[in-house]
């Protein structure tokens, strides 16, 4: 393995010194961002552009996107870029995946589609498989580190990603695609372009697609139905409007996550069981506990039929650019987003009771008593409706290109956890959990919610101002930006569960977070080909919504006890007097990062190179954290960290048929505080020794190398991608090794035939050598396992394999997909 790593590192490194003499002596050429259309016969990977931004930025274009699989996600599209570590659950993109950039998790990265925000407004998560079809995607760009000042984000502390869809074509026509592959993969895609009409001012396209695949291990599948549409109207004089619509409906089976012990005992392909749970016959006056007997093993291993993630979303967005004068323009971009989805383990045990929240749980199995524990089908539902508007005024005054504006976003989210009946075959009549009449009920008729019942109103806005100007005969470009970022939340918790717990009482939390953030970018052009840049930028990420959950303090303490009386959680003081239930006040700050980049770029006829050294000062890191004092687990600030590293990327055009791309990243991410609270085996509160340890799931080395051959109507690609070793715990007492994956692909464009203008067949083969590898499932912070072996602290020993609250835990992983292939046939018409 070490030999393979060294070989790949040498190959990547050699790319950055290739033709270095050319970089020193080449003739000058005009700078500018290159737009690649991916025409057959052009030796260009589409993986590096001649960027002009005074900050670290990378992108991919159609030339690279069209050579990947037919269901590839934006995360997969950028997997070779510097600083990027991605994982796709099955190779197709249909099951989703994970992303890290410089160690930042995907929910710390802002994501936009044609300028509209895509992150969840509550926890900033991203379901990347929901968005535009790759056939309609023209560019994906990545800003590592500092976010763009005018980007519509309040949860981006690590940078931002933008997806830009293709405009409608000028001529009447369309495109179709059929694809098949491993694990019964299939996709059908059809697009219609209107061509220009209305005196050549208007045009639109609409596309429909459906795709699906079986899991590569265990039972279950993914099914995706999708619509993209876009209309463009040109008002003339530089003014235009673009209206985009997206609809997506998916039903994905989950892959079972595994610990190292699971893999050792059950094998790499261990997954959920295939036997459905069954009910016990109801007998009045006798306890029926359906979690025992044969069902116990089913619950322990999970049932594949109750591990799915059905979700549905649509989005409408508009880009309006009005040229008010030769020097002034106005952008007004509204959007509306709706999403509904369930997920997780959907086999839920519900205990009947004559007492409890809302009077206890009613007689579920209708045997005349409330003494039983019954299995049902339930899930954590998220339903969100949000709208927003970005306005920006641009004005050129002398040498200054000024812009300023306001982004506003308002959303209403409902998060709840209903349960419905199942039969002995594992079927339920309400798979999407939309029928409120089917929900299990409390004794007072209120719908039962197993773990949460929340409503949140979120209002966010940013006010921004930016100036971009050139000095020293236009050789020095200066970018100055400032914005005020505000998030306001009204969180409403409604009593849920069946016993006294942190969600067992109605309460409301109102929060407001405001930050002033600045950005300074400098780019100095030595020659038309060589430049250096420096960027200093601040990012902030408001706390997630779960900072407000589970705040009812139910733990007995001197002079304070809680119990349920008449279906309501009540508290008493030491004299037995009723007092209000204690609701903890979240004392949490936004997560902040100060990002510094120093880089060099070269843009030549054959060699395009970009390099940067980066330093990130991370403060008030957010994580789900246990508080031993209140005995609550919620979101807290758990300390500082420092990240330093180096990123390199280069593209080299050997000749008209051969081209190379490579990237190399070194990252060191160190925690600086001991603020992860735990309990010792003796029950004493203490902190883990995390200071000086590496942030988990942050690869030390990343590298990629892509080779492309293109001759006439034929092309072939080969690439290797290395992901380095990563720690899996906060105290760094466990890790997983690095791995190298190789992929190949090829395509051939036939001559025009019948109605087909560009008949093309493409083939991709991923994980060529069938490498087995692991990817962590945890996001950032102390949701990672704390430690797998005992840790001795000044207050005592913390047992191994325990989470922060003392509950057993261990690092969990997704296993990498085996060798998979896809074949597609497509054509414009």
């Amino acid at each position: 393995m070490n030999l393979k790593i060294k070989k790949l590192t040498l190959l990547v490194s050699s790319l950055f010194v290739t033709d270095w003499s050319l970089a020193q002596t080449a003739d000058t050429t005009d700078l500018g961002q290159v737009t690649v259309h991916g025409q057959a016969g052009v030796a260009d990977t589409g993986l590096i552009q001649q960027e002009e931004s005074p900050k670290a930025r990378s992108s991919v274009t159609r030339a690279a996107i069209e050579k990947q699989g037919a269901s590839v996600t934006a995360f997969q599209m950028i997997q070779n870029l510097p600083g990027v570590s991605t994982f796709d659950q099955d190779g197709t993109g249909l099951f989703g995946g994970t992303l890290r950039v410089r160690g930042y998790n995907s929910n710390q990265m802002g994501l936009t589609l044609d300028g509209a925000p895509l992150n969840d407004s509550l926890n900033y998560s991203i379901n990347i498989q929901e968005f535009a079809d790759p056939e309609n995607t023209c560019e994906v760009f990545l800003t590592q580190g500092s976010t763009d000042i005018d980007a519509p984000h309040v949860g981006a502390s690590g940078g931002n990603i933008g997806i830009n869809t293709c405009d409608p074509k000028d001529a009447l026509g369309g495109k179709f695609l059929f694809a098949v592959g491993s694990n019964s993969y299939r996709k059908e895609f059809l697009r219609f372009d209107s061509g220009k009409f209305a005196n050549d001012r208007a045009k639109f396209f609409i596309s429909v697609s459906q795709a699906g695949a079986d899991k590569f291990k265990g039972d279950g599948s993914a099914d995706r139905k999708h619509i993209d549409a876009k209309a463009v109207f040109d008002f003339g004089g530089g003014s235009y409007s673009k209206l985009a619509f997206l609809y997506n409906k998916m039903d994905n089976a989950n892959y079972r996550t595994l610990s190292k012990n699971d893999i050792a005992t059950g094998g790499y392909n261990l997954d959920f069981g295939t036997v459905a749970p069954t009910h016990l016959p109801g007998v009045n006056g006798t306890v029926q506990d359906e979690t025992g007997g044969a069902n116990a093993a089913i619950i322990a291993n999970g049932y594949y039929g109750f591990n799915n993630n059905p979700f549905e979303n649509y989005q409408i967005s508009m880009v309006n650019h009005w040229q008010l004068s030769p020097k002034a323009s106005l952008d007004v971009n509204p959007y509306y987003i709706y999403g509904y989805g369930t997920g997780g383990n959907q086999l839920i045990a519900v205990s009947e009771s004559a007492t409890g929240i809302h009077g206890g749980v009613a007689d579920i199995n209708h045997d005349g008593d409330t003494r039983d524990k019954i299995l049902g089908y339930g899930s954590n539902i998220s339903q969100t409706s949000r709208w927003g508007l970005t306005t920006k005024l641009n004005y050129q005054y002398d040498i200054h290109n000024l812009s300023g504006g306001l982004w506003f976003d308002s959303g209403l989210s409902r998060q709840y956890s209903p349960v419905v009946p199942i039969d002995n075959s594992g079927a339920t009549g309400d798979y999407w959990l939309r029928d409120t009449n089917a929900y299990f009920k409390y004794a007072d008729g209120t719908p039962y919610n197993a773990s949460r019942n929340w409503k949140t109103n979120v209002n966010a806005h940013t006010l921004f101002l930016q100036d971009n100007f050139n000095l020293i005969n236009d050789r020095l470009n200066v970018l100055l930006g400032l914005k005020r970022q505000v998030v306001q939340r009204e969180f409403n918790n409604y009593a849920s569960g069946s016993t006294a717990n942190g969600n067992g009482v109605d309460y409301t939390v109102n929060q407001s977070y405001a930050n002033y953030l600045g950005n300074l970018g400098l780019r100095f052009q030595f020659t038309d080909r060589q430049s250096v840049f420096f960027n200093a930028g601040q990012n902030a990420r408001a706390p997630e919504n779960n900072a407000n959950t589970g705040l009812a303090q139910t733990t007995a303490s001197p002079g304070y006890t809680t119990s349920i009386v008449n279906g309501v959680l009540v508290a008493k003081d030491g004299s037995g007097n009723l007092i209000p239930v204690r609701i903890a006040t979240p004392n949490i700050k936004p997560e902040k990062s100060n990002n510094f980049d120093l880089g060099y770029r070269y843009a030549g006829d054959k060699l395009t190179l970009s390099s940067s050294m980066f330093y990130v000062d991370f403060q008030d890191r957010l994580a789900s954290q246990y508080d031993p004092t209140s005995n609550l687990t919620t979101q807290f600030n758990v300390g500082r960290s420092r990240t330093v590293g180096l990123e390199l990327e280069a593209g080299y055009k050997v000749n008209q048929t051969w081209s190379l791309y490579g990237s190399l990243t070194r990252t060191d991410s160190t925690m600086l505080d001991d603020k992860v609270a735990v309990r010792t085996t003796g029950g004493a509160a203490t902190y883990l020794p995390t200071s000086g340890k590496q942030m988990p799931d942050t690869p030390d080395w990343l590298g990629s190398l892509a080779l492309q051959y293109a001759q006439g109507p034929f092309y072939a690609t080969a690439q290797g991608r290395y992901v380095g070793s990563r720690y899996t715990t906060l105290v760094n007492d466990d890790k997983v090794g690095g791995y190298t994956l190789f992929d190949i692909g090829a395509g051939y464009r036939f001559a025009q035939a019948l109605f087909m203008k560009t008949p093309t067949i493409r083939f991709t083969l991923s994980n060529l050598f069938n490498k087995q590898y692991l990817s962590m499932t945890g996001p950032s912070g102390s949701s990672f396992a704390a430690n797998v072996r005992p840790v001795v602290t000044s207050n005592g020993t913390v047992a191994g394999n325990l989470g922060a609250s003392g509950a057993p835990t261990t690092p969990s992983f997704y296993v990498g997909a085996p060798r998979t292939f896809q074949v597609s046939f497509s054509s414009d018409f």
Side-chain angles (χ1 to χ4, degrees), residues 366-648:
H366 307 293
D367 66 350
D369 64 31
T370 54
R371 307 177 64 181
D372 309 320
K373 184 179 287 188
I374 305 300
L375 294 177
Y377 170 85
S379 184
N380 287 328
I381 292 175
S382 291
Q383 184 174 9
T384 299
S385 177
R386 62 189 288 207
W387 67 275
L389 177 70
T390 302
T391 60
K392 182 169 68 169
L393 180 64
N394 311 284
Y395 185 74
Q396 183 177 347
Y397 176 74
D398 194 22
I399 65 171
H400 299 276
N401 295 292
L402 300 167
S403 63
L406 172 69
W407 167 62
F408 178 80
D409 183 279
S410 180
L412 173 64
S413 295
R414 288 284 288 116
Q415 297 171 283
Y416 51 106
S417 50
V419 184
V420 297
I422 58 176
D423 62 23
N424 283 333
S425 65
T428 176
D430 189 19
Y431 181 72
W432 283 77
L433 294 173
R434 296 183 187 271
D435 183 7
T436 57
N437 293 323
Y439 294 171
F440 286 174
K441 302 292 195 302
Y442 289 106
D444 63 3
T446 303
Y448 172 78
N449 283 279
S451 60
R452 68 184 191 181
N453 187 8
W454 310 326
K455 182 177 76 171
T456 309
N457 294 282
V458 183
N459 291 315
H461 72 265
T462 59
L463 183 67
F464 57 88
L465 180 65
Q466 185 169 274
D467 186 15
N468 191 331
F469 57 92
N470 293 330
L471 300 172
I472 315 178
N473 296 322
D474 291 339
R475 296 175 67 183
L476 175 63
N477 175 250
V478 181
L479 179 67
L480 299 173
L482 177 67
K483 71 177 176 180
R484 184 175 189 265
Q485 174 180 294
V486 178
V487 180
Q488 295 174 318
R489 284 201 185 105
E490 181 191 87
F491 173 82
N492 298 277
N493 183 86
Y494 305 106
S496 61
S498 57
T499 60
N501 58 64
N503 286 322
V505 65
D506 296 351
Y507 64 85
T508 298
V509 178
N510 288 289
Q511 294 173 315
S512 181
Y513 303 98
N515 294 280
Y516 287 92
L517 306 172
N519 181 265
L520 167 65
L522 303 172
R523 177 175 57 84
F524 187 81
Q525 200 75 36
F526 287 109
T527 68
D528 285 346
R529 296 198 175 202
Q530 300 184 68
S531 64
V532 294
F533 66 90
F534 170 78
N535 182 264
Q538 296 173 304
N539 299 332
R541 177 174 178 259
E544 298 175 14
N545 199 48
N546 62 18
N548 304 314
T549 66
L551 298 182
Q553 188 171 342
T554 60
T555 303
S557 61
Y560 179 84
T561 59
T562 57
S563 61
I564 298 174
V565 179
N566 296 325
V568 177
L569 182 65
V570 298
K572 294 181 181 181
D573 61 19
S575 301
N577 300 312
L578 289 175
I579 60 174
V581 176
R582 290 178 183 170
I583 306 299
T585 301
N587 183 19
I588 184 169
K589 301 176 183 178
E591 182 176 82
K592 293 184 179 180
S593 62
N594 298 309
N595 298 267
F596 302 90
D597 289 271
L598 178 63
Y600 168 83
R601 293 189 181 115
Y602 174 80
D605 294 330
K606 289 189 174 184
L607 176 66
T608 301
L609 180 145
S610 179
S611 62
S612 64
M613 296 182 292
F614 60 88
Y615 174 88
V616 184
D617 174 29
F618 206 95
Q619 299 176 0
D620 296 319
R621 180 170 54 90
L622 293 171
S624 295
Q625 171 62 37
Y626 171 70
D627 179 5
T629 302
S630 64
N631 200 34
L632 298 176
T633 298
T634 184
Q635 196 169 73
F636 283 79
N637 297 115
V638 292
R640 300 170 298 139
S641 67
R642 179 190 63 237
T643 302
V644 296
L646 173 69
E647 293 170 343
L648 303 170

Side-chain angles (χ1 to χ4, degrees), residues 316-356:
I316 303 171
S317 62
M318 195 172 189
V319 174
N320 299 288
H321 179 80
W322 291 304
Q323 197 69 40
L324 305 178
S325 73
K327 293 186 176 182
S329 64
L330 176 66
D331 297 297
V332 180
N333 305 330
Y335 59 86
Y336 175 78
I337 301 169
Y338 172 82
Y340 175 95
T342 77
N345 175 27
Q346 293 147 337
L347 182 58
I348 307 295
V350 181
S351 296
E352 301 173 343
S353 62
T355 61

Side-chain angles (χ1 to χ4, degrees), residues 278-299:
T278 57
H279 290 303
L280 296 174
V283 179
N284 182 270
T286 303
V287 174
Q288 283 85 54
D289 183 354
E290 295 184 346
T291 62
N295 285 340
I298 296 173
I299 294 171

Side-chain angles (χ1 to χ4, degrees), residues 141-331:
F141 68 84
L142 166 68
T143 302
Q144 302 101 327
S146 299
T147 59
D148 298 323
I149 283 290
D150 58 353
H153 307 303
V154 292
S157 53
N160 56 273
I161 301 167
I163 305 171
N164 293 326
T165 59
C166 304
D167 281 351
K169 295 184 177 180
D170 292 342
L172 176 68
K175 182 184 182 70
F176 70 85
L177 174 141
F178 301 98
V180 295
S182 302
N183 304 311
S184 301
Y185 171 78
R186 69 278 180 195
K187 179 175 179 178
E188 300 87 35
F189 171 89
L190 179 64
R191 168 171 161 157
F192 169 76
D193 280 89
S194 68
K196 288 186 175 181
F197 62 97
N199 295 323
D200 288 343
R201 290 185 178 275
K203 56 184 178 178
F204 72 87
F205 82 77
I206 183 170
S207 71
V208 295
S209 68
Q210 61 179 9
D214 293 336
K215 291 166 58 176
F216 69 82
K217 64 165 189 169
D219 287 6
S221 62
D223 180 73
R224 181 181 191 259
K225 294 177 174 61
H226 191 86
I227 299 173
D228 285 326
K230 193 173 187 179
V232 176
F233 190 87
D234 184 359
F235 294 97
S239 298
Y240 58 84
S241 291
K242 299 182 180 183
L243 177 66
F245 173 78
L246 175 152
Y247 172 79
N248 190 79
K249 187 175 183 179
M250 296 196 73
D251 183 11
N252 290 1
N254 297 326
Y255 279 95
R256 181 176 175 179
T257 59
L258 304 174
S259 67
K260 290 182 177 180
N261 184 64
D262 290 333
I263 297 172
T265 57
Y268 187 78
N269 289 321
L270 178 66
D271 206 71
F272 300 113
T274 58
V275 178
T278 57
H279 290 303
L280 296 174
V283 179
N284 182 270
T286 303
V287 174
Q288 283 85 54
D289 183 354
E290 295 184 346
T291 62
N295 285 340
I298 296 173
I299 294 171
N301 294 317
Y303 171 53
Y304 86 95
F306 292 160
N307 275 277
N308 300 287
N309 182 208
F311 59 95
E312 182 177 34
N313 62 283
Y314 63 85
Q315 175 174 315
I316 303 171
S317 62
M318 195 172 189
V319 174
N320 299 288
H321 179 80
W322 291 304
Q323 197 69 40
L324 305 178
S325 73
K327 293 186 176 182
S329 64
L330 176 66
D331 297 297

Side-chain angles (χ1 to χ4, degrees), residues 78-79 81 83-87 98-102 697 699 702 721 723 726 739:
I78 64 173
Q79 65 183 0
L81 299 185
V84 175
S85 171
T86 66
F87 174 79
T98 61
L99 169 85
R100 285 193 180 276
V101 178
R102 295 183 176 179
D697 202 24
L702 294 167
R721 182 165 59 97
V723 177
R726 294 138 289 150
Y739 59 88

Side-chain angles (χ1 to χ4, degrees), residues 746-802:
Y748 187 86
R749 178 178 294 178
F750 299 93
Q752 183 173 344
L754 301 175
F755 65 92
M756 297 180 292
K757 295 180 180 179
T758 58
T760 305
I761 188 169
R762 289 188 172 90
F763 171 79
T764 60
L765 182 64
S766 58
N767 196 0
L768 176 64
F769 299 110
N770 211 31
K771 175 71 176 180
Q772 292 188 346
Y773 60 101
L774 303 177
S775 176
M776 290 196 68
T777 62
S780 62
S782 59
S783 52
F784 290 120
N787 55 298
V788 299
R789 291 188 289 272
V791 175
V792 178
T793 70
S794 58
N795 291 332
T797 300
V798 179
N801 284 334
L802 291 183

